[in-house]
Amino acid sequence: MASWNHTNRTRLTLPRVALLVETSREVGRSILSGIERYARLYGPWAFHLFPGDLAQQFEEVRTWDATGIIARVETPEVAQAILDSHLPVVALDLYEEQKNVDGPFRNTCEVHVNSAEVGRMAARYLMEQNYENYAYVCEVNNVLWSKEREWTFRETLDRAGFDCHLYTPQRKGIPWSEEIHLLGKWLDLLPKPVGLMASMDVRGRQVIAACQESGIRVPEDVAVLGVDNDPLLCRMCSPRMSSIILDSENGGYHAAMILDGLMRGKIHEKKTFLINPIGIASRESTERPEISDPTIAEAVRFIHLNSMIALSVQEVANHVNVSRRVLEVRFQNVLGRSVLSEICRARLERVKNLLLKTDMKVREIAEACEFGTDGYLCRFFLREAGMTITEFRKENNG
């Protein structure tokens, strides 16, 4: 058994910790970051990282002579391998059947998300947007943490006098190629506009994809809020997805702290730590348009969505299904500027973003944004921004 003296920091036995934590999602990487931070302060520890199936590789853990485990216990095989090891273990987000009174992990130390508070935070955030209609989309297998989020989301809405529409898959293991159509039909039938909470970012991304497939506008018709704030997943949605931020790094730190106590024989009873939601990253998927005319709001959304291409006024008119003349008049009346000027504004912002956030050369930006030549892009930028690209870069880099 590993032992550690925090007073004189004399190592008796090096802790050798097996980690079964997903690395494909932000929440898992944040937990690992917290574990590493604890080990850096009170270690060193030796780590064996298993981003895949621990059960298939557990013999390697035995021969490696592990002294503790931090694991997300996803399958019965993984659960049995951990139980058979008789090693100190801290579990992450156990399933309902795993930790009930008859479950194999009922006495196991655990770190899990405060899903009840996640549901309440989501409801309060969406109610602040003044929606009349609300919905919740469950995790595919409707596991405990998903149900807890649903319960408090609905309870908070109910206390405020609102109903909540619920989407639960009809069967487990349904392929996404089939479910996208079922989800799209359900979304199409919802009263609109609606504020929707997805159980997690992956699910939120699927909701946005189903909306696109069914011609449902986000956020005008359905505002989508995810959970985990995985930056890559949220940015890869169109529009980018808002999401609840979890204090996962702190959860990883406390998982390591509990495991350290178990390995040193200082902890003998079950310990639990809650990962709390600490805020909301608000992005375009929940930002309700301030434009009262839905046709003009959709035209603006379409323009900014397609700012990478040389969009014409006629293409915008075709998209919103009105004549060019009608679009021009309504656009001027609502926004006080022309459709063409909005296209130029959107393209200028896209170019500025590329200049600030990438290492692309002017020629490469001109090609990517369909300006034809770098000379034409430079003239466009000077006309719209009132300065040259060189001046803009100098002003913002220094």
Side-chain angles (χ1 to χ4, degrees), residues 13-215:
T13 304
L14 177 70
R16 301 162 71 85
V17 178
L19 301 173
L20 178 57
V21 182
E22 73 281 4
T23 57
S24 59
R25 294 192 292 126
E26 177 65 21
V27 63
R29 293 190 293 271
S30 294
I31 287 173
L32 290 171
S33 178
I35 295 169
E36 185 277 331
R37 178 164 65 92
Y38 182 89
R40 178 163 30 89
L41 291 172
Y42 299 109
W45 286 6
F47 291 117
H48 207 323
L49 180 60
F50 293 90
D53 188 347
L54 180 62
Q56 293 180 0
Q57 307 176 61
F58 210 79
E59 187 58 37
E60 190 174 340
V61 175
R62 293 191 182 94
T63 58
W64 186 60
D65 193 26
T67 54
I69 301 171
I70 298 175
R72 195 177 298 282
V73 190
E74 296 283 2
T75 67
E77 293 76 18
V78 169
Q80 194 58 54
I82 291 173
L83 293 169
D84 290 345
S85 75
H86 302 293
L87 291 171
V89 59
V90 177
L92 305 174
D93 280 310
L94 288 168
Y95 293 131
E96 189 172 9
E97 61 274 15
Q98 292 172 334
K99 61 180 180 180
N100 61 28
V101 291
D102 298 320
F105 291 91
R106 60 189 177 277
N107 296 318
T108 300
C109 294
E110 182 188 10
V111 170
H112 65 90
V113 175
N114 187 353
S115 289
E117 185 55 34
V118 168
R120 284 188 283 266
M121 180 180 285
R124 290 193 294 263
Y125 172 78
L126 290 173
M127 284 193 294
E128 288 173 359
Q129 315 297 317
N130 297 316
Y131 286 98
E132 294 292 329
N133 308 294
Y134 298 90
Y136 180 84
V137 174
C138 302
E139 190 268 346
V140 174
N141 297 313
N142 203 20
V143 293
L144 179 60
W145 54 261
S146 176
K147 289 190 285 189
E148 288 177 341
R149 293 171 191 185
E150 173 211 328
W151 294 334
T152 53
F153 182 71
R154 297 175 72 178
E155 178 186 51
T156 306
L157 291 170
D158 182 66
R159 289 179 177 177
F162 296 106
D163 294 327
C164 178
H165 300 267
L166 180 65
Y167 178 83
T168 304
Q170 298 301 307
R171 65 180 190 275
K172 293 183 178 181
I174 181 172
W176 175 239
S177 59
E178 180 180 342
E179 193 195 4
I180 188 173
H181 302 299
L182 298 175
L183 181 56
K185 289 179 180 179
W186 177 80
L187 290 164
D188 194 47
L189 293 173
L190 289 177
K192 308 204 177 43
V194 58
L196 182 148
M197 177 188 180
S199 56
M200 60 191 298
D201 283 346
V202 171
R203 205 67 171 135
R205 188 171 183 273
Q206 290 177 334
V207 169
I208 292 176
C211 285
Q212 292 174 328
E213 182 82 7
S214 301

Side-chain angles (χ1 to χ4, degrees), residues 235-268:
R235 291 198 305 267
M236 289 186 71
C237 296
S238 181
R240 297 182 304 168
M241 184 170 60
S242 299
S243 185
I244 292 178
I245 306 166
L246 301 177
D247 196 10
S248 301
E249 200 268 352
N250 194 33
Y253 182 91
H254 279 82
M257 180 187 294
I258 294 170
L259 183 65
D260 195 15
L262 291 170
M263 292 189 299
R264 291 187 293 113
K266 300 297 184 181
I267 294 177
H268 303 282

Side-chain angles (χ1 to χ4, degrees), residues 147-367:
K147 289 190 285 189
E148 288 177 341
R149 293 171 191 185
E150 173 211 328
W151 294 334
T152 53
F153 182 71
R154 297 175 72 178
E155 178 186 51
T156 306
L157 291 170
D158 182 66
R159 289 179 177 177
F162 296 106
D163 294 327
C164 178
H165 300 267
L166 180 65
Y167 178 83
T168 304
Q170 298 301 307
R171 65 180 190 275
K172 293 183 178 181
I174 181 172
W176 175 239
S177 59
E178 180 180 342
E179 193 195 4
I180 188 173
H181 302 299
L182 298 175
L183 181 56
K185 289 179 180 179
W186 177 80
L187 290 164
D188 194 47
L189 293 173
L190 289 177
K192 308 204 177 43
V194 58
L196 182 148
M197 177 188 180
S199 56
M200 60 191 298
D201 283 346
V202 171
R203 205 67 171 135
R205 188 171 183 273
Q206 290 177 334
V207 169
I208 292 176
C211 285
Q212 292 174 328
E213 182 82 7
S214 301
I216 300 169
R217 299 174 304 169
V218 178
E220 292 87 347
D221 298 324
V222 179
V224 182
L225 175 65
V227 182
D228 291 339
N229 194 38
D230 187 310
L232 182 59
L233 279 180
C234 292
R235 291 198 305 267
M236 289 186 71
C237 296
S238 181
R240 297 182 304 168
M241 184 170 60
S242 299
S243 185
I244 292 178
I245 306 166
L246 301 177
D247 196 10
S248 301
E249 200 268 352
N250 194 33
Y253 182 91
H254 279 82
M257 180 187 294
I258 294 170
L259 183 65
D260 195 15
L262 291 170
M263 292 189 299
R264 291 187 293 113
K266 300 297 184 181
I267 294 177
H268 303 282
E269 71 283 355
K270 178 176 180 177
K271 295 283 187 181
T272 300
F273 180 80
L274 288 175
I275 297 175
N276 287 309
I278 55 175
I280 294 178
S282 183
R283 301 183 180 91
E284 290 90 338
S285 72
T286 57
E287 294 178 357
R288 300 188 72 176
E290 297 179 1
I291 302 171
S292 57
D293 187 324
T295 298
I296 303 305
E298 175 59 22
V300 171
R301 188 193 72 85
F302 181 72
I303 288 169
H304 285 264
L305 187 64
N306 292 279
S307 58
M308 285 287 282
I309 66 176
L311 195 66
S312 70
V313 175
Q314 187 60 55
E315 286 175 310
V316 179
N318 292 343
H319 177 75
V320 296
N321 200 30
V322 298
S323 70
R324 177 170 176 165
R325 176 60 181 164
V326 168
L327 177 64
E328 291 279 16
V329 170
R330 288 171 66 174
F331 212 94
Q332 189 68 43
N333 289 340
V334 172
L335 297 180
R337 54 182 177 270
S338 69
V339 181
L340 181 59
S341 67
E342 186 66 24
I343 292 173
C344 291
R345 279 161 53 99
R347 286 172 67 68
L348 177 63
E349 287 306 310
R350 179 62 67 101
V351 171
K352 285 182 176 180
N353 192 54
L354 293 174
L355 288 170
L356 292 175
K357 297 183 179 181
T358 74
D359 295 325
M360 294 175 68
K361 298 177 181 177
V362 174
R363 171 180 49 79
E364 294 171 328
I365 295 175
E367 183 178 349

